[in-house]
Amino acid sequence: ACTLAGTSTLKDASDKLKNQFQYTCLTAGENGAYVSFNGSASHVPAFATEVLDLNGAGDICAAGFLSSILKGRSVEDSGRFG
């Protein structure tokens, strides 16, 4: 995301990309995710958990986020669901 946006931080990337895409969900690992819809952005904190395996974590996050959006939930709720 930082490379695409030409920024050095994920927060800055989120701020820039929120105006270029209808939806964004930028994962930040233990720092949660930055989500946006139609130019309005939010930070969603991560849940405290024991990490066992990171394989597929981004795919699962994307699937949860998109599934929730398609069910009509808010972008913030969808970010938490992802």
Side-chain angles (χ1 to χ4, degrees), residues 4-79:
L4 178 65
T7 64
S8 60
T9 69
L10 205 52
K11 168 78 169 90
D12 290 343
S14 176
D15 288 340
K16 188 169 182 180
L17 295 174
K18 72 180 181 184
N19 296 315
Q20 297 179 21
F21 298 95
Q22 183 176 9
Y23 290 98
T24 66
C25 179
L26 309 181
T27 59
E30 65 185 12
N31 295 316
Y34 296 94
V35 297
S36 71
F37 172 65
N38 285 340
S40 178
S42 299
H43 175 258
V44 179
F47 291 100
T49 187
E50 178 184 357
V51 176
L52 300 177
D53 189 347
L54 292 176
N55 286 325
D59 295 333
I60 295 297
C61 181
F65 179 76
L66 291 174
S67 172
S68 188
I69 288 291
L70 292 173
K71 291 179 181 176
R73 295 187 177 112
S74 72
V75 71
E76 291 85 4
D77 285 345
S78 297

